């Protein structure tokens, strides 16, 4: 069952620096049984409509690719039987198309990659919607991504 969706970006702030910053630009969590939490950047909040139908359109993907060095689509999932979790939580990168196919609470059949790279992507083979998250309590914070970036830069300067 899918219980987290995250869009992560990575960027190198200055040409002189070699260390990259990475952050979850969007993050939504399905807190069973009745709540969705998360963070959405105010600069891009028009991309977010509800936890039940969070997708990233191609034009926004292209914009993010132009603005930042990398973009990753990630889901978190657990094996469940009834309401019982059967194994540990897993994360997996997906293509944007597969990320858009699945929503919080969906049951998925996923093929996991053989490679050891962080960027290796899983493949969604099948999706079945078991949980209706559209009517759940929603506790999604809107934050300033520009302020977050300024704070990260200040933290880096203080560390030097």
């Amino acid at each position: 069952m899918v219980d987290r969706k995250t869009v992560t970006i990575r960027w190198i702030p200055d040409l002189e620096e070699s260390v990259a910053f990475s952050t979850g630009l969007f993050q939504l969590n399905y807190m069973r049984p009745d709540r969705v939490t998360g963070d959405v950047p105010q600069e891009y909040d028009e991309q977010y409509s509800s936890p039940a139908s969070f997708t990233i359109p191609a034009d926004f993907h292209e914009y993010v690719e132009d603005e930042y060095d990398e973009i990753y689509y990630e889901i978190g999932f657990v094996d469940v039987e009834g309401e019982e979790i059967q194994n540990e939580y897993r994360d997996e990168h997906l293509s944007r198309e597969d990320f858009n196919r699945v929503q919080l609470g969906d049951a998925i059949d996923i093929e996991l990659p053989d490679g050891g790279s962080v960027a290796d992507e899983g493949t969604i083979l099948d999706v079945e919607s078991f949980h209706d998250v559209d009517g759940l309590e929603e506790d999604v914070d809107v934050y300033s991504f520009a302020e977050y970036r300024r704070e990260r830069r200040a933290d880096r300067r203080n560390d030097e």
Side-chain angles (χ1 to χ4, degrees):
M1 182 183 68
V2 176
D3 60 2
R4 188 172 59 80
K5 290 184 78 171
T6 303
V7 177
T8 299
I9 59 170
R10 185 175 172 273
W11 73 97
I12 299 174
D14 299 310
L15 294 176
E16 296 89 33
E17 297 185 42
S18 60
V19 177
F21 288 129
S22 181
T23 189
L25 189 61
F26 294 89
Q27 184 166 321
L28 297 174
N29 306 293
Y30 179 31
M31 310 299 286
R32 291 178 303 270
D34 60 1
R35 196 166 77 128
V36 173
T37 64
D39 298 299
V40 174
Q42 70 184 24
E43 294 86 345
Y44 309 124
D45 67 347
E46 71 277 357
Q47 299 303 318
Y48 175 74
S49 58
S50 85
S53 60
F54 177 56
T55 60
I56 297 294
D59 60 342
F60 184 71
H61 173 86
E62 291 168 10
Y63 166 78
V64 171
E65 279 190 318
D66 289 343
E67 291 293 313
Y68 303 101
D69 294 308
E70 295 173 343
I71 182 171
Y72 298 104
Y73 300 96
E74 186 176 69
I75 61 167
F77 58 95
V78 293
D79 286 337
V80 295
E81 190 171 307
E83 290 297 316
E84 298 292 319
I85 295 175
Q86 300 299 308
N87 70 359
E88 291 185 29
Y89 185 81
R90 301 246 352 221
D91 290 318
E92 192 60 48
H93 287 107
L94 300 176
S95 67
R96 183 183 63 83
E97 293 77 16
D98 275 353
F99 179 87
N100 287 343
R101 281 182 65 195
V102 302
Q103 298 301 327
L104 296 174
D106 283 354
I108 60 170
D109 184 10
I110 185 169
E111 181 179 331
L112 300 174
D114 290 334
S117 169
V118 170
D120 289 341
E121 295 177 346
T123 303
I124 299 296
L125 303 174
D126 192 30
V127 178
E128 187 172 348
S129 292
F130 278 128
H131 302 288
D132 179 14
V133 295
D134 203 21
L136 298 179
E137 177 186 339
E138 189 175 341
D139 184 16
V140 176
D141 293 325
V142 177
Y143 72 98
S144 169
F145 184 63
E147 182 62 28
Y148 171 81
R149 286 186 66 177
R150 278 192 294 278
E151 288 172 3
R152 293 289 301 262
R153 275 204 157 141
D155 289 346
R156 168 161 277 142
R157 283 190 207 110
N158 291 336
D159 288 344
E160 293 175 350

